[in-house]
Amino acid sequence: MGQQKKLMRALAGEAQDVPPIWMMRQAGRYLPEYRATRAEAGDFLSLCYNSELAAEVTLQPIRRYGFDAAILFADILLIPDALGADLWFVTGEGPRLSTIGTEDDFAKLKGAADIHDHLAPVYETLRILSRELPDETALIGFAGAPWTVATYMIAGRGTPDQGPAHALKGMNRTLFEAVMERLTEATIEYLLAQIEAGAETVKIFDSWAGSLKGADFEDFAVAPARRIIAALKAKHPDVPIIAFPREAGEGYIGFAKATGADCVALDNSVSPEWAAEHVQVDSCVQGNLASSHMVTGGDALVEETRRIVNAFAGGPHIFNLGHGITPDADPENVQLMIDTVRGS
Ligand code: CP3
């Protein structure tokens, strides 16, 4: 059955006249039905841990738009939460966590294999979705990459330049590497459990990969992805993996080969023509329309969508944005993008 789904066919390396399409943050605040369910849940984290409601918001954009894939509704910061860090979200500002700056902070964390009780509601969300999704819709699981999750755990919040994580890496390399090791192991545990609960493919979000330069990019973006992917493939060789080393630039070249990923997701700082020549030659690619078009719409949206479809038409491609859709997006622009991709 997997082979019939457009998304799975692209991940298997097939070029299609009309690429499959889904959107990062497709269940989100730009949709009135999402805002209503989130209000019902109380707050964002309660929504993530309420399997019925998390499945409901995952299904909302599928019902409204008929995307080719549904992405599990959860967050990359559930891993630190499951490891015992404190986590909360400040409305209008973003996540806050207890920080990791010393060996004592690190010693309080749980072991990687001890995350599953806490994350059981996420696995239940996937089981519900496996039953309820339309036959043609693929189910995507995900996790944050160790570096990106570490940047939040070390700083206790999002940071423009990931300064605190870079500082710890420079000042206490042993502690930094211990954090990375724990996150790598926990991510393997988490993604294996997601696959066993019904995820047909998984995506690894390295949103801050772009701030790793030179040897750091190899050590903390490429190497952890390679280890995670090897561990998943050892148990589930047929489950394809999407890697998103956001803003990697030249680092996108060879990333699939170096890590074993089946698909590389592209942000919109690289041109589709460049990426077709340098990245799509090795693997399926996903992307990469600027999410600002979902706010501004119009002819520019249509032209840029067509340009991306055409640039990637020669090989396997999954149409997506270059980053998550923003709360100020107009739901009608999403429909315009889909109609343009599907040529209707
Ligand atoms: O894509 C999807 O629809 C699936 C669900 C999903 C969410 N977050 C839901 C969410 C996924 C895949 C993520 C990934 C995620 N979370 C990343 C990596 C991708 C990226 O955006 O770079 C990161 C860095 C996070 C951490 C995070 N979660 C931040 C920094 C924030 C606050 C910023 C914001 O957009 O408000 C969140 C909150 C969050 N995660 C929301 C959603 C729908 C908004 C929360 C709300 O409803 O108030």
Side-chain angles (χ1 to χ4, degrees), residues 22-29 34 38 44 71-77 89 94-95 142 148 152 205 207 246 323:
W22 68 280
M23 208 172 57
M24 283 185 267
R25 293 273 171 99
Q26 62 190 21
R29 287 161 291 182
Y34 170 83
R38 183 171 172 276
F44 173 67
I71 184 160
L72 165 72
F73 189 84
D75 197 84
I76 64 163
L77 300 177
F89 280 81
F142 74 92
T148 287
Y152 289 93
F205 284 88
S207 303
R246 192 171 74 90
H323 201 189

PDB file of all heavy atoms in Angstrom, residues 22-29 34 38 44 71-77 89 94-95 142 148 152 205 207 246 323, ligand 1:
ATOM      1  N   TRP A  22       2.944  18.806   1.026  1.00  0.00           N
ATOM      2  CA  TRP A  22       2.478  19.065   2.391  1.00  0.00           C
ATOM      3  C   TRP A  22       3.215  20.307   2.857  1.00  0.00           C
ATOM      4  O   TRP A  22       4.026  20.867   2.107  1.00  0.00           O
ATOM      5  CB  TRP A  22       2.717  17.863   3.334  1.00  0.00           C
ATOM      6  CG  TRP A  22       4.150  17.533   3.668  1.00  0.00           C
ATOM      7  CD1 TRP A  22       5.033  16.840   2.870  1.00  0.00           C
ATOM      8  CD2 TRP A  22       4.857  17.867   4.864  1.00  0.00           C
ATOM      9  NE1 TRP A  22       6.251  16.742   3.499  1.00  0.00           N
ATOM     10  CE2 TRP A  22       6.179  17.361   4.725  1.00  0.00           C
ATOM     11  CE3 TRP A  22       4.527  18.540   6.045  1.00  0.00           C
ATOM     12  CZ2 TRP A  22       7.157  17.513   5.719  1.00  0.00           C
ATOM     13  CZ3 TRP A  22       5.497  18.675   7.034  1.00  0.00           C
ATOM     14  CH2 TRP A  22       6.788  18.177   6.871  1.00  0.00           C
ATOM     15  N   MET A  23       2.975  20.757   4.076  1.00  0.00           N
ATOM     16  CA  MET A  23       3.509  22.041   4.502  1.00  0.00           C
ATOM     17  C   MET A  23       3.961  21.973   5.961  1.00  0.00           C
ATOM     18  O   MET A  23       3.213  21.475   6.807  1.00  0.00           O
ATOM     19  CB  MET A  23       2.344  23.034   4.372  1.00  0.00           C
ATOM     20  CG  MET A  23       2.677  24.432   4.127  1.00  0.00           C
ATOM     21  SD  MET A  23       1.174  25.394   3.780  1.00  0.00           S
ATOM     22  CE  MET A  23       0.180  25.126   5.222  1.00  0.00           C
ATOM     23  N   MET A  24       5.174  22.458   6.238  1.00  0.00           N
ATOM     24  CA  MET A  24       5.623  22.516   7.635  1.00  0.00           C
ATOM     25  C   MET A  24       4.691  23.420   8.433  1.00  0.00           C
ATOM     26  O   MET A  24       4.329  24.492   7.949  1.00  0.00           O
ATOM     27  CB  MET A  24       7.058  23.039   7.704  1.00  0.00           C
ATOM     28  CG  MET A  24       8.082  21.989   7.309  1.00  0.00           C
ATOM     29  SD  MET A  24       9.772  22.606   7.533  1.00  0.00           S
ATOM     30  CE  MET A  24      10.073  23.246   5.885  1.00  0.00           C
ATOM     31  N   ARG A  25       4.343  22.982   9.647  1.00  0.00           N
ATOM     32  CA  ARG A  25       3.381  23.677  10.528  1.00  0.00           C
ATOM     33  C   ARG A  25       1.990  23.769   9.901  1.00  0.00           C
ATOM     34  O   ARG A  25       1.262  24.733  10.164  1.00  0.00           O
ATOM     35  CB  ARG A  25       3.865  25.084  10.902  1.00  0.00           C
ATOM     36  CG  ARG A  25       5.094  25.106  11.779  1.00  0.00           C
ATOM     37  CD  ARG A  25       4.741  25.014  13.261  1.00  0.00           C
ATOM     38  NE  ARG A  25       5.934  24.814  14.064  1.00  0.00           N
ATOM     39  CZ  ARG A  25       6.578  25.785  14.713  1.00  0.00           C
ATOM     40  NH1 ARG A  25       6.125  27.017  14.690  1.00  0.00           N
ATOM     41  NH2 ARG A  25       7.639  25.498  15.415  1.00  0.00           N
ATOM     42  N   GLN A  26       1.638  22.741   9.074  1.00  0.00           N
ATOM     43  CA  GLN A  26       0.337  22.817   8.405  1.00  0.00           C
ATOM     44  C   GLN A  26      -0.821  22.806   9.388  1.00  0.00           C
ATOM     45  O   GLN A  26      -1.894  23.348   9.106  1.00  0.00           O
ATOM     46  CB  GLN A  26       0.196  21.719   7.348  1.00  0.00           C
ATOM     47  CG  GLN A  26       0.254  20.290   7.860  1.00  0.00           C
ATOM     48  CD  GLN A  26       0.362  19.286   6.700  1.00  0.00           C
ATOM     49  OE1 GLN A  26       0.772  19.621   5.582  1.00  0.00           O
ATOM     50  NE2 GLN A  26      -0.001  18.034   6.941  1.00  0.00           N
ATOM     51  N   ALA A  27      -0.626  22.179  10.565  1.00  0.00           N
ATOM     52  CA  ALA A  27      -1.597  22.321  11.658  1.00  0.00           C
ATOM     53  C   ALA A  27      -1.083  23.468  12.516  1.00  0.00           C
ATOM     54  O   ALA A  27      -0.104  23.311  13.238  1.00  0.00           O
ATOM     55  CB  ALA A  27      -1.673  21.034  12.466  1.00  0.00           C
ATOM     56  N   GLY A  28      -1.698  24.620  12.437  1.00  0.00           N
ATOM     57  CA  GLY A  28      -1.136  25.753  13.170  1.00  0.00           C
ATOM     58  C   GLY A  28      -2.099  26.920  13.256  1.00  0.00           C
ATOM     59  O   GLY A  28      -3.232  26.856  12.770  1.00  0.00           O
ATOM     60  N   ARG A  29      -1.584  27.993  13.822  1.00  0.00           N
ATOM     61  CA  ARG A  29      -2.457  29.112  14.214  1.00  0.00           C
ATOM     62  C   ARG A  29      -3.079  29.870  13.067  1.00  0.00           C
ATOM     63  O   ARG A  29      -3.994  30.666  13.284  1.00  0.00           O
ATOM     64  CB  ARG A  29      -1.661  30.079  15.104  1.00  0.00           C
ATOM     65  CG  ARG A  29      -1.414  29.532  16.491  1.00  0.00           C
ATOM     66  CD  ARG A  29      -0.283  30.255  17.182  1.00  0.00           C
ATOM     67  NE  ARG A  29       0.972  29.921  16.516  1.00  0.00           N
ATOM     68  CZ  ARG A  29       2.171  30.363  16.892  1.00  0.00           C
ATOM     69  NH1 ARG A  29       2.267  31.192  17.908  1.00  0.00           N
ATOM     70  NH2 ARG A  29       3.260  29.999  16.248  1.00  0.00           N
ATOM     71  N   TYR A  34      -7.753  25.134  14.097  1.00  0.00           N
ATOM     72  CA  TYR A  34      -6.643  24.835  15.023  1.00  0.00           C
ATOM     73  C   TYR A  34      -6.781  25.682  16.283  1.00  0.00           C
ATOM     74  O   TYR A  34      -6.662  25.180  17.398  1.00  0.00           O
ATOM     75  CB  TYR A  34      -5.283  25.100  14.356  1.00  0.00           C
ATOM     76  CG  TYR A  34      -4.129  25.036  15.350  1.00  0.00           C
ATOM     77  CD1 TYR A  34      -3.550  23.822  15.715  1.00  0.00           C
ATOM     78  CD2 TYR A  34      -3.659  26.198  15.982  1.00  0.00           C
ATOM     79  CE1 TYR A  34      -2.525  23.760  16.657  1.00  0.00           C
ATOM     80  CE2 TYR A  34      -2.632  26.145  16.925  1.00  0.00           C
ATOM     81  CZ  TYR A  34      -2.082  24.923  17.257  1.00  0.00           C
ATOM     82  OH  TYR A  34      -1.076  24.866  18.203  1.00  0.00           O
ATOM     83  N   ARG A  38      -7.065  24.251  20.067  1.00  0.00           N
ATOM     84  CA  ARG A  38      -6.034  24.624  21.033  1.00  0.00           C
ATOM     85  C   ARG A  38      -6.677  25.268  22.265  1.00  0.00           C
ATOM     86  O   ARG A  38      -6.268  24.984  23.404  1.00  0.00           O
ATOM     87  CB  ARG A  38      -5.058  25.587  20.374  1.00  0.00           C
ATOM     88  CG  ARG A  38      -3.889  25.992  21.246  1.00  0.00           C
ATOM     89  CD  ARG A  38      -2.906  26.763  20.367  1.00  0.00           C
ATOM     90  NE  ARG A  38      -1.825  27.359  21.130  1.00  0.00           N
ATOM     91  CZ  ARG A  38      -1.913  28.524  21.753  1.00  0.00           C
ATOM     92  NH1 ARG A  38      -3.044  29.203  21.738  1.00  0.00           N
ATOM     93  NH2 ARG A  38      -0.866  28.997  22.396  1.00  0.00           N
ATOM     94  N   PHE A  44      -0.715  24.972  24.569  1.00  0.00           N
ATOM     95  CA  PHE A  44      -0.030  24.228  23.511  1.00  0.00           C
ATOM     96  C   PHE A  44       0.471  22.861  23.985  1.00  0.00           C
ATOM     97  O   PHE A  44       0.247  21.845  23.327  1.00  0.00           O
ATOM     98  CB  PHE A  44       1.121  25.082  22.964  1.00  0.00           C
ATOM     99  CG  PHE A  44       1.984  24.348  21.988  1.00  0.00           C
ATOM    100  CD1 PHE A  44       1.497  23.947  20.754  1.00  0.00           C
ATOM    101  CD2 PHE A  44       3.302  24.042  22.305  1.00  0.00           C
ATOM    102  CE1 PHE A  44       2.291  23.256  19.858  1.00  0.00           C
ATOM    103  CE2 PHE A  44       4.104  23.359  21.417  1.00  0.00           C
ATOM    104  CZ  PHE A  44       3.602  22.962  20.190  1.00  0.00           C
ATOM    105  N   ILE A  71       1.612  15.415   9.173  1.00  0.00           N
ATOM    106  CA  ILE A  71       2.730  15.328  10.119  1.00  0.00           C
ATOM    107  C   ILE A  71       2.162  15.321  11.530  1.00  0.00           C
ATOM    108  O   ILE A  71       1.309  16.140  11.868  1.00  0.00           O
ATOM    109  CB  ILE A  71       3.773  16.454   9.909  1.00  0.00           C
ATOM    110  CG1 ILE A  71       4.967  16.264  10.865  1.00  0.00           C
ATOM    111  CG2 ILE A  71       3.170  17.853  10.025  1.00  0.00           C
ATOM    112  CD1 ILE A  71       6.240  16.993  10.452  1.00  0.00           C
ATOM    113  N   LEU A  72       2.627  14.339  12.276  1.00  0.00           N
ATOM    114  CA  LEU A  72       2.270  14.207  13.687  1.00  0.00           C
ATOM    115  C   LEU A  72       2.251  15.578  14.356  1.00  0.00           C
ATOM    116  O   LEU A  72       3.198  16.354  14.213  1.00  0.00           O
ATOM    117  CB  LEU A  72       3.346  13.339  14.355  1.00  0.00           C
ATOM    118  CG  LEU A  72       3.388  13.356  15.886  1.00  0.00           C
ATOM    119  CD1 LEU A  72       2.197  12.604  16.442  1.00  0.00           C
ATOM    120  CD2 LEU A  72       4.703  12.747  16.384  1.00  0.00           C
ATOM    121  N   PHE A  73       1.231  15.877  15.139  1.00  0.00           N
ATOM    122  CA  PHE A  73       1.232  17.119  15.899  1.00  0.00           C
ATOM    123  C   PHE A  73       1.921  16.878  17.235  1.00  0.00           C
ATOM    124  O   PHE A  73       1.435  16.115  18.074  1.00  0.00           O
ATOM    125  CB  PHE A  73      -0.183  17.667  16.114  1.00  0.00           C
ATOM    126  CG  PHE A  73      -0.128  19.037  16.710  1.00  0.00           C
ATOM    127  CD1 PHE A  73       0.029  20.147  15.903  1.00  0.00           C
ATOM    128  CD2 PHE A  73      -0.158  19.211  18.089  1.00  0.00           C
ATOM    129  CE1 PHE A  73       0.155  21.417  16.450  1.00  0.00           C
ATOM    130  CE2 PHE A  73      -0.039  20.477  18.640  1.00  0.00           C
ATOM    131  CZ  PHE A  73       0.117  21.578  17.832  1.00  0.00           C
ATOM    132  N   ALA A  74       3.054  17.509  17.418  1.00  0.00           N
ATOM    133  CA  ALA A  74       3.844  17.400  18.650  1.00  0.00           C
ATOM    134  C   ALA A  74       4.856  18.539  18.587  1.00  0.00           C
ATOM    135  O   ALA A  74       4.633  19.506  17.874  1.00  0.00           O
ATOM    136  CB  ALA A  74       4.531  16.036  18.731  1.00  0.00           C
ATOM    137  N   ASP A  75       5.947  18.454  19.318  1.00  0.00           N
ATOM    138  CA  ASP A  75       6.977  19.489  19.229  1.00  0.00           C
ATOM    139  C   ASP A  75       8.343  18.859  19.478  1.00  0.00           C
ATOM    140  O   ASP A  75       8.454  17.876  20.222  1.00  0.00           O
ATOM    141  CB  ASP A  75       6.730  20.611  20.240  1.00  0.00           C
ATOM    142  CG  ASP A  75       7.547  21.857  19.873  1.00  0.00           C
ATOM    143  OD1 ASP A  75       7.074  22.640  19.034  1.00  0.00           O
ATOM    144  OD2 ASP A  75       8.664  22.007  20.406  1.00  0.00           O
ATOM    145  N   ILE A  76       9.376  19.460  18.904  1.00  0.00           N
ATOM    146  CA  ILE A  76      10.726  18.914  19.108  1.00  0.00           C
ATOM    147  C   ILE A  76      11.163  19.011  20.579  1.00  0.00           C
ATOM    148  O   ILE A  76      12.053  18.290  20.994  1.00  0.00           O
ATOM    149  CB  ILE A  76      11.790  19.581  18.203  1.00  0.00           C
ATOM    150  CG1 ILE A  76      11.970  21.060  18.528  1.00  0.00           C
ATOM    151  CG2 ILE A  76      11.453  19.419  16.723  1.00  0.00           C
ATOM    152  CD1 ILE A  76      13.259  21.651  17.968  1.00  0.00           C
ATOM    153  N   LEU A  77      10.516  19.891  21.340  1.00  0.00           N
ATOM    154  CA  LEU A  77      10.944  20.084  22.735  1.00  0.00           C
ATOM    155  C   LEU A  77      10.283  19.101  23.702  1.00  0.00           C
ATOM    156  O   LEU A  77      10.512  19.166  24.916  1.00  0.00           O
ATOM    157  CB  LEU A  77      10.712  21.535  23.160  1.00  0.00           C
ATOM    158  CG  LEU A  77      11.493  22.540  22.304  1.00  0.00           C
ATOM    159  CD1 LEU A  77      11.183  23.967  22.713  1.00  0.00           C
ATOM    160  CD2 LEU A  77      12.997  22.277  22.396  1.00  0.00           C
ATOM    161  N   PHE A  89       5.629  27.168  27.652  1.00  0.00           N
ATOM    162  CA  PHE A  89       5.551  28.082  26.516  1.00  0.00           C
ATOM    163  C   PHE A  89       4.938  29.391  26.965  1.00  0.00           C
ATOM    164  O   PHE A  89       3.886  29.395  27.591  1.00  0.00           O
ATOM    165  CB  PHE A  89       4.716  27.464  25.384  1.00  0.00           C
ATOM    166  CG  PHE A  89       5.490  26.462  24.562  1.00  0.00           C
ATOM    167  CD1 PHE A  89       5.660  25.149  25.022  1.00  0.00           C
ATOM    168  CD2 PHE A  89       6.072  26.815  23.356  1.00  0.00           C
ATOM    169  CE1 PHE A  89       6.389  24.233  24.276  1.00  0.00           C
ATOM    170  CE2 PHE A  89       6.804  25.904  22.608  1.00  0.00           C
ATOM    171  CZ  PHE A  89       6.963  24.606  23.069  1.00  0.00           C
ATOM    172  N   GLY A  94       7.370  32.192  22.986  1.00  0.00           N
ATOM    173  CA  GLY A  94       7.998  30.926  22.611  1.00  0.00           C
ATOM    174  C   GLY A  94       8.367  30.103  23.823  1.00  0.00           C
ATOM    175  O   GLY A  94       7.927  30.363  24.937  1.00  0.00           O
ATOM    176  N   PRO A  95       9.206  29.078  23.599  1.00  0.00           N
ATOM    177  CA  PRO A  95       9.492  28.114  24.660  1.00  0.00           C
ATOM    178  C   PRO A  95      10.459  28.623  25.725  1.00  0.00           C
ATOM    179  O   PRO A  95      11.344  29.424  25.429  1.00  0.00           O
ATOM    180  CB  PRO A  95      10.120  26.946  23.897  1.00  0.00           C
ATOM    181  CG  PRO A  95      10.682  27.538  22.645  1.00  0.00           C
ATOM    182  CD  PRO A  95       9.848  28.718  22.314  1.00  0.00           C
ATOM    183  N   PHE A 142       8.416  12.752  13.530  1.00  0.00           N
ATOM    184  CA  PHE A 142       9.574  13.657  13.514  1.00  0.00           C
ATOM    185  C   PHE A 142      10.209  13.793  14.890  1.00  0.00           C
ATOM    186  O   PHE A 142       9.624  13.453  15.910  1.00  0.00           O
ATOM    187  CB  PHE A 142       9.176  15.056  13.016  1.00  0.00           C
ATOM    188  CG  PHE A 142       8.383  15.857  14.034  1.00  0.00           C
ATOM    189  CD1 PHE A 142       9.040  16.708  14.925  1.00  0.00           C
ATOM    190  CD2 PHE A 142       7.007  15.749  14.116  1.00  0.00           C
ATOM    191  CE1 PHE A 142       8.324  17.445  15.861  1.00  0.00           C
ATOM    192  CE2 PHE A 142       6.282  16.475  15.052  1.00  0.00           C
ATOM    193  CZ  PHE A 142       6.937  17.326  15.933  1.00  0.00           C
ATOM    194  N   THR A 148      19.982  21.073  17.408  1.00  0.00           N
ATOM    195  CA  THR A 148      18.909  22.055  17.554  1.00  0.00           C
ATOM    196  C   THR A 148      18.247  21.938  18.929  1.00  0.00           C
ATOM    197  O   THR A 148      18.004  22.945  19.608  1.00  0.00           O
ATOM    198  CB  THR A 148      17.891  21.895  16.400  1.00  0.00           C
ATOM    199  OG1 THR A 148      18.510  22.401  15.219  1.00  0.00           O
ATOM    200  CG2 THR A 148      16.593  22.644  16.663  1.00  0.00           C
ATOM    201  N   TYR A 152      18.258  24.778  22.583  1.00  0.00           N
ATOM    202  CA  TYR A 152      17.171  25.208  23.485  1.00  0.00           C
ATOM    203  C   TYR A 152      17.434  24.755  24.922  1.00  0.00           C
ATOM    204  O   TYR A 152      17.171  25.483  25.875  1.00  0.00           O
ATOM    205  CB  TYR A 152      15.822  24.662  23.004  1.00  0.00           C
ATOM    206  CG  TYR A 152      15.336  25.321  21.734  1.00  0.00           C
ATOM    207  CD1 TYR A 152      15.620  24.777  20.482  1.00  0.00           C
ATOM    208  CD2 TYR A 152      14.611  26.497  21.781  1.00  0.00           C
ATOM    209  CE1 TYR A 152      15.197  25.387  19.314  1.00  0.00           C
ATOM    210  CE2 TYR A 152      14.173  27.122  20.608  1.00  0.00           C
ATOM    211  CZ  TYR A 152      14.470  26.564  19.388  1.00  0.00           C
ATOM    212  OH  TYR A 152      14.057  27.177  18.232  1.00  0.00           O
ATOM    213  N   PHE A 205      14.495  17.446  12.213  1.00  0.00           N
ATOM    214  CA  PHE A 205      14.556  18.908  12.049  1.00  0.00           C
ATOM    215  C   PHE A 205      15.826  19.457  12.699  1.00  0.00           C
ATOM    216  O   PHE A 205      15.921  19.518  13.919  1.00  0.00           O
ATOM    217  CB  PHE A 205      13.368  19.578  12.746  1.00  0.00           C
ATOM    218  CG  PHE A 205      12.058  19.468  12.017  1.00  0.00           C
ATOM    219  CD1 PHE A 205      11.216  18.380  12.217  1.00  0.00           C
ATOM    220  CD2 PHE A 205      11.637  20.477  11.155  1.00  0.00           C
ATOM    221  CE1 PHE A 205       9.991  18.289  11.557  1.00  0.00           C
ATOM    222  CE2 PHE A 205      10.409  20.394  10.497  1.00  0.00           C
ATOM    223  CZ  PHE A 205       9.587  19.294  10.694  1.00  0.00           C
ATOM    224  N   SER A 207      16.947  22.756  12.726  1.00  0.00           N
ATOM    225  CA  SER A 207      16.615  24.134  12.359  1.00  0.00           C
ATOM    226  C   SER A 207      17.801  25.083  12.478  1.00  0.00           C
ATOM    227  O   SER A 207      17.858  26.086  11.785  1.00  0.00           O
ATOM    228  CB  SER A 207      15.483  24.642  13.241  1.00  0.00           C
ATOM    229  OG  SER A 207      14.376  23.793  13.120  1.00  0.00           O
ATOM    230  N   ARG A 246      18.658  22.898   8.164  1.00  0.00           N
ATOM    231  CA  ARG A 246      18.215  24.213   7.685  1.00  0.00           C
ATOM    232  C   ARG A 246      19.382  25.205   7.599  1.00  0.00           C
ATOM    233  O   ARG A 246      20.200  25.266   8.507  1.00  0.00           O
ATOM    234  CB  ARG A 246      17.124  24.771   8.603  1.00  0.00           C
ATOM    235  CG  ARG A 246      16.413  25.986   8.023  1.00  0.00           C
ATOM    236  CD  ARG A 246      15.210  26.380   8.847  1.00  0.00           C
ATOM    237  NE  ARG A 246      15.570  27.008  10.090  1.00  0.00           N
ATOM    238  CZ  ARG A 246      15.752  28.325  10.241  1.00  0.00           C
ATOM    239  NH1 ARG A 246      15.590  29.127   9.219  1.00  0.00           N
ATOM    240  NH2 ARG A 246      16.083  28.811  11.401  1.00  0.00           N
ATOM    241  N   HIS A 323      10.246  26.831   5.323  1.00  0.00           N
ATOM    242  CA  HIS A 323      10.177  26.789   6.786  1.00  0.00           C
ATOM    243  C   HIS A 323       8.689  26.771   7.127  1.00  0.00           C
ATOM    244  O   HIS A 323       7.855  26.732   6.240  1.00  0.00           O
ATOM    245  CB  HIS A 323      10.907  27.990   7.393  1.00  0.00           C
ATOM    246  CG  HIS A 323      11.330  27.791   8.825  1.00  0.00           C
ATOM    247  ND1 HIS A 323      11.830  28.789   9.604  1.00  0.00           N
ATOM    248  CD2 HIS A 323      11.301  26.687   9.632  1.00  0.00           C
ATOM    249  CE1 HIS A 323      12.117  28.327  10.813  1.00  0.00           C
ATOM    250  NE2 HIS A 323      11.806  27.049  10.844  1.00  0.00           N
TER     251      HIS A 323
HETATM  252  O1  CP3 B   1       4.747  20.907  11.350  1.00  0.00           O
HETATM  253  C1  CP3 B   1       3.753  20.580  12.023  1.00  0.00           C
HETATM  254  O2  CP3 B   1       2.599  21.018  11.778  1.00  0.00           O
HETATM  255  C2  CP3 B   1       3.921  19.540  13.113  1.00  0.00           C
HETATM  256  C3  CP3 B   1       4.077  20.007  14.445  1.00  0.00           C
HETATM  257  C4  CP3 B   1       5.327  20.787  14.803  1.00  0.00           C
HETATM  258  C5  CP3 B   1       5.310  21.862  15.728  1.00  0.00           C
HETATM  259  N1  CP3 B   1       6.592  22.250  15.951  1.00  0.00           N
HETATM  260  C6  CP3 B   1       4.106  22.446  16.334  1.00  0.00           C
HETATM  261  C7  CP3 B   1       4.187  23.761  16.965  1.00  0.00           C
HETATM  262  C8  CP3 B   1       6.655  20.576  14.444  1.00  0.00           C
HETATM  263  C9  CP3 B   1       7.243  19.607  13.425  1.00  0.00           C
HETATM  264  C10 CP3 B   1       7.443  21.494  15.186  1.00  0.00           C
HETATM  265  C11 CP3 B   1       8.909  21.552  15.106  1.00  0.00           C
HETATM  266  C12 CP3 B   1       9.635  22.552  15.897  1.00  0.00           C
HETATM  267  N2  CP3 B   1       9.326  23.045  17.118  1.00  0.00           N
HETATM  268  C13 CP3 B   1      10.870  23.101  15.501  1.00  0.00           C
HETATM  269  C14 CP3 B   1      11.628  22.730  14.243  1.00  0.00           C
HETATM  270  C15 CP3 B   1      11.079  23.383  13.037  1.00  0.00           C
HETATM  271  C16 CP3 B   1      11.256  24.874  12.998  1.00  0.00           C
HETATM  272  O3  CP3 B   1      10.239  25.570  13.088  1.00  0.00           O
HETATM  273  O4  CP3 B   1      12.413  25.318  12.882  1.00  0.00           O
HETATM  274  C17 CP3 B   1      11.272  23.992  16.510  1.00  0.00           C
HETATM  275  C18 CP3 B   1      12.532  24.822  16.513  1.00  0.00           C
HETATM  276  C19 CP3 B   1      10.287  23.934  17.537  1.00  0.00           C
HETATM  277  C20 CP3 B   1      10.304  24.652  18.850  1.00  0.00           C
HETATM  278  C21 CP3 B   1       9.173  25.569  18.974  1.00  0.00           C
HETATM  279  N3  CP3 B   1       7.857  25.184  19.099  1.00  0.00           N
HETATM  280  C22 CP3 B   1       9.220  26.979  19.004  1.00  0.00           C
HETATM  281  C23 CP3 B   1      10.484  27.816  18.876  1.00  0.00           C
HETATM  282  C24 CP3 B   1       7.915  27.421  19.147  1.00  0.00           C
HETATM  283  C25 CP3 B   1       7.464  28.847  19.344  1.00  0.00           C
HETATM  284  C26 CP3 B   1       7.429  29.612  18.089  1.00  0.00           C
HETATM  285  C27 CP3 B   1       6.032  29.622  17.526  1.00  0.00           C
HETATM  286  O5  CP3 B   1       5.877  29.349  16.341  1.00  0.00           O
HETATM  287  O6  CP3 B   1       5.126  29.943  18.312  1.00  0.00           O
HETATM  288  C28 CP3 B   1       7.062  26.281  19.169  1.00  0.00           C
HETATM  289  C29 CP3 B   1       5.605  26.269  19.267  1.00  0.00           C
HETATM  290  C30 CP3 B   1       4.826  25.470  18.271  1.00  0.00           C
HETATM  291  N4  CP3 B   1       5.158  24.224  17.813  1.00  0.00           N
HETATM  292  C31 CP3 B   1       3.576  25.842  17.689  1.00  0.00           C
HETATM  293  C32 CP3 B   1       3.170  24.774  16.877  1.00  0.00           C
HETATM  294  C33 CP3 B   1       1.885  24.659  16.089  1.00  0.00           C
HETATM  295  C34 CP3 B   1       2.815  27.129  17.984  1.00  0.00           C
HETATM  296  C35 CP3 B   1       2.270  26.972  19.370  1.00  0.00           C
HETATM  297  C36 CP3 B   1       0.888  27.518  19.598  1.00  0.00           C
HETATM  298  O7  CP3 B   1      -0.111  26.954  19.093  1.00  0.00           O
HETATM  299  O8  CP3 B   1       0.836  28.493  20.332  1.00  0.00           O
END
